[in-house]
Amino acid sequence: YFMMMAAQTPTLDHIRGDTRGKYDLPTIADRLTEKGVAWRNYNGGIPLVAMFKRAWESGNVVPLSQFGSDAAIGQLPAVTWLTPSLRDSEHPPASVKQGENWTVRQINTLMDSPQWSKCAVFVVWDEWGGFWDHVDPRVVEKEKGFHGLGPANRYGHRIPCLVIGPYAKRGYVSRTLYSHVSLLKTIERLFDVPPLTGRDAQANDL
């Protein structure tokens, strides 16, 4: 979640309970606000955008139930995050089928919207699920420890990312290396906003 919004992680303190507005890191939402680009998070409970102080206080984190009505009248902002409830997230022990059906319903709602002809949808998961992957994650950074040595920081195992919309290449599978910060890089490129850290500055955009 931190990489998808801030391209960095704080020192985590394993907060229990409500995380809304807890973290005061600069995020892509701040960059969009500074640029005057409209954004909104239709939030079903997963605290992706809502974890961050300025995003939470902006008034742009609204109930998921508002998405359908805004889409129907073509009032979705330029950048929109949809975050499901935990039961619709495909996270164990919730039903994968139920989560897939939730995602399909949201995309169908968008396809029926007058804004569909101008949309690009990125469906992405936050973790790889624990199943075997024959591709070893790449080393991307080295931490400095004692005597200048330290453990390697690797990407995690691969996760799916679906790109859906009228401009998407039908049936195309990309071989380019992407990560969660590629979503940030894509937004930064589209709306001409500066990167948050060196990670999104160097990322491949989608």
Side-chain angles (χ1 to χ4, degrees):
Y1 295 178
F2 288 107
M3 288 297 171
M4 280 197 282
M5 292 300 298
Q8 62 177 308
T9 57
T11 301
L12 297 179
D13 52 10
H14 302 287
I15 293 171
R16 295 178 184 271
D18 192 357
T19 60
R20 290 175 294 183
K22 172 65 182 178
Y23 295 99
D24 196 18
L25 293 173
T27 67
I28 191 65
D30 300 329
R31 291 284 195 266
L32 293 170
T33 298
E34 291 161 6
K35 188 77 173 185
V37 177
W39 65 270
R40 189 169 298 141
N41 170 216
Y42 296 93
N43 185 275
I46 298 290
L48 172 67
V49 182
M51 292 195 307
F52 298 95
K53 184 177 184 343
R54 286 179 294 279
W56 176 246
E57 292 174 349
S58 70
N60 291 333
V61 179
V62 300
L64 179 62
S65 57
Q66 189 176 324
F67 174 69
S69 56
D70 287 356
I73 60 173
Q75 291 296 316
L76 297 175
V79 178
T80 300
W81 287 274
L82 265 68
T83 47
S85 67
L86 187 59
R87 82 173 172 274
D88 291 326
S89 71
E90 301 183 34
H91 195 289
S95 164
V96 171
K97 180 179 178 181
Q98 179 173 323
E100 286 182 350
N101 288 337
W102 178 86
T103 302
V104 168
R105 284 196 303 274
Q106 311 317 309
I107 294 171
N108 284 343
T109 296
L110 186 57
M111 290 177 73
D112 290 337
S113 164
Q115 291 172 274
W116 173 246
S117 63
K118 300 182 285 186
C119 285
V121 178
F122 301 96
V123 181
V124 66
W125 285 255
D126 60 347
E127 55 198 23
W128 65 292
F131 297 102
W132 182 78
D133 189 345
H134 69 281
V135 176
D136 288 332
R138 297 188 192 184
V139 174
V140 291
E141 297 174 351
K142 293 279 191 179
E143 291 182 343
K144 290 184 178 178
F146 293 108
H147 307 294
L149 301 174
N153 287 335
R154 294 180 179 269
Y155 285 109
H157 286 286
R158 296 179 300 172
I159 59 166
C161 176
L162 307 177
V163 181
I164 301 169
Y167 296 100
K169 296 178 183 178
R170 184 181 296 271
Y172 178 73
V173 178
S174 176
R175 305 296 178 190
T176 304
L177 177 67
Y178 300 110
S179 73
H180 287 104
V181 296
S182 294
L183 297 167
L184 298 180
K185 183 64 175 280
T186 304
I187 294 170
E188 291 158 4
R189 180 177 176 186
L190 284 171
F191 298 101
D192 190 29
V193 298
L196 291 151
T197 71
R199 290 186 174 97
D200 51 327
Q202 296 173 27
N204 293 314
D205 70 70
L206 291 153

